[in-house]
Amino acid sequence: MHNIKSHLPRKIPQKFVAVCLIFAGLQLGGCANLGVQPWERDLLAREDMALNSDGVDIGLDEHIYFSKEATSGGRSFAGGGCGCN
Amino acid sequence: MQLSKSKKITALLATATCSLLNANVQAQEVKGENDWKFETAILYYGETDRVSLVEGVVSATKDFGDQHILNTKLVIDTLTGASATGAVPQANIQTFTRPSGNGQYTVAPGKLPLDDTFRDTRLQLSANWTQPIYQDTRMTVGSNISREYDYLSVGANVSAERDFYNKNTTALFGLSYQFDSIDPVGGVPIALSNMLVDSGQFGVGDAGEAGFNAAFDLTRESDSDDKTTIDALFGVTQVVNRRMLVQLNYSYSNSSGYLNDPYKLLSTVNSNGETQSIVHENRPDNRAKHSVYAQTKYAFDNAVADISYRFATDDWDITSHTIDSKFRFNISDTDYIQPHLRYYQQSEAEFYRPYLNAADSLPVYASADYRLGEMTAITVGLKYGHKMNNGHEWAVRAEYYQQDPKNAGFENIGVLSSQDLYPSVKAFILQFSYKF
């Protein structure tokens, strides 16, 4: 049996991490110019604008996708668990 | 005249009473904000001809003031049905030994082998406490425990977040540790050992049964095994303008220990694709994952767009891309509808094989679990929510989820060319939620 698909080199974690850190650093540096004044938060303060506004749904979905797919986490901790189904 | 005056006084008194009562109600509502807030949900997940799951959640949050917040969560789920074993379909009837070693099941010609003995109930409890620890800095500590028939998972996490630039930027750093112990039905199989099938070679009666049991035990290495997972998370949330915010996370996860699925198998086939034997899978005992997650939310006057993308890669050579989008339309002050679309794509693990070739020597690692193979998946859903006069809110959500496993370039040799080795998995999800 042969895997006839040509494999591209995929082992890039170190470079990948470096790029991410640089990107995150640049973002932090540029943050001072972005944003709003405290009195401009009317829309951002809306309940439906919270990053975790569908928290229970997200938890349920992450349990399903954790059990059915190879990747988990990203939004928060990937954690452990079985997923033996 | 006298009567009319008295009527006026009555009306004034009634108005005053109503105002007082109303003030009282308002006071109660203000007081209510310091009480527990509950979010509950019940979800049904059903795959066509395979697994079905019912899951209930109760999440309770109490704000003690000054950003001291306690959240506790209870999750109970029960799962039944059939799961793909990893063995390939054949033109003849196939016989498999149940994972427990007690009894057998058969698979019809042309059918994907499914183990229909899955039955499990899981109970999960978690608690998180958040409080300020320094100026503009908050800390969260949490723990969780999850128990099912053959599994125990316990964990703890700690994270700190700090606001910068007028609270327009928030940086987060978190660590989590998880310990899992698995106690598989029938014991932990020896990696890549042959599945033992009683075809009468042990004789009949008690002696035959004893002979089979003794031979079965030789395919098991222990009763239980465990793994540990350490996660680190770095995140930045940024307010872009009055309507938009973005979040960017990098996370690293390292699991070590027993990472096999003890119930998964592989077929060993001859050059004509005919099964010669069935073996238990074997995965590496370490896995390091990296992922980048970006999310943005945008507020329209009567709607919210929520779009996220995740890129993940690991040292098993699995790379995945996930795009998730939700658009919430507030159709009135009390009602909203929210369409949901999610697309997922993953490449196969380097040790993924749909089957093994009998003529080759056994590889060190091999798994035919389709969840480690190349696949795409799509979710399409719709949610409707309504806020009632008493402030409670209910919502109903219906979704369709389909997984399409792909051939990652493997030959379908001999008789396997006429079998469907990569069938789609289709599932319906229905959820009812209630917040109060």
Side-chain angles (χ1 to χ4, degrees), chain A:
Chain A
M1 181 181 50
H2 301 285
N3 185 346
I4 53 177
K5 181 176 152 185
S6 65
H7 280 278
L8 293 166
R10 290 206 198 108
K11 295 203 167 170
I12 46 159
Q14 278 191 338
K15 260 189 192 170
F16 176 71
V17 171
V19 169
C20 292
L21 288 175
I22 290 167
F23 187 61
L26 284 174
Q27 204 201 5
L28 261 179
C31 290
N33 301 322
L34 296 169
V36 296
Q37 296 300 326
W39 56 88
E40 295 175 311
R41 287 185 172 268
D42 53 334
L43 296 174
L44 297 167
R46 256 167 38 189
E47 214 172 288
D48 58 11
M49 274 298 283
L51 283 168
N52 61 348
S53 59
D54 286 321
V56 167
D57 293 12
I58 290 166
L60 287 163
D61 283 352
E62 287 192 344
H63 180 221
I64 291 170
Y65 299 132
F66 168 81
S67 301
K68 308 306 296 182
E69 296 170 353
T71 303
S72 61
R75 178 188 287 268
S76 60
F77 300 119
C82 179
C84 303
N85 48 70

Side-chain angles (χ1 to χ4, degrees), chain B residues 325-382:
Chain B
S325 61
K326 289 175 181 165
F327 291 93
R328 173 176 163 140
F329 298 98
N330 295 322
I331 50 182
S332 73
D333 286 346
T334 55
D335 298 75
Y336 69 90
I337 52 168
Q338 182 172 278
H340 176 211
L341 190 63
R342 177 183 187 269
Y343 178 78
Y344 174 79
Q345 185 266 326
Q346 73 178 41
S347 64
E348 78 284 6
E350 62 181 346
F351 54 86
Y352 171 81
R353 305 277 182 278
Y355 57 85
L356 295 173
N357 199 319
D360 297 340
S361 55
L362 275 177
V364 179
Y365 304 115
S367 174
D369 187 343
Y370 81 93
R371 298 171 302 175
L372 299 179
E374 185 178 335
M375 75 153 106
T376 59
I378 190 158
T379 309
V380 183
L382 190 67

Side-chain angles (χ1 to χ4, degrees), chain A residues 82-85, chain B residues 118 258-265 281 283 369 371:
Chain A
C82 179
C84 303
N85 48 70
Chain B
F118 273 90
Y258 186 76
L259 304 182
N260 292 351
D261 185 326
Y263 307 120
K264 294 296 181 224
L265 308 166
E281 69 157 38
R283 306 179 186 189
D369 187 343
R371 298 171 302 175

Side-chain angles (χ1 to χ4, degrees), chain B residues 19-94:
Chain B
S19 303
L20 276 171
L21 279 173
N22 199 27
N24 197 27
V25 168
Q26 278 172 355
Q28 275 180 352
E29 276 175 6
V30 171
K31 187 184 164 208
E33 284 181 9
N34 290 324
D35 287 341
W36 286 93
K37 282 183 183 160
F38 291 90
E39 286 180 64
T40 63
I42 186 151
L43 172 133
Y44 167 80
Y45 168 91
E47 294 172 359
T48 313
D49 302 326
R50 294 202 195 177
V51 164
S52 67
L53 169 102
V54 176
E55 186 160 345
V57 184
V58 179
S59 171
T61 306
K62 185 169 167 66
D63 189 340
F64 291 86
D66 296 329
Q67 300 184 60
H68 291 68
I69 298 166
L70 175 68
N71 172 261
T72 57
K73 194 171 172 184
L74 168 75
V75 181
I76 300 174
D77 61 66
T78 176
L79 181 141
T80 54
S83 184
T85 61
V88 291
Q90 290 283 288
N92 54 301
I93 293 178
Q94 299 189 77

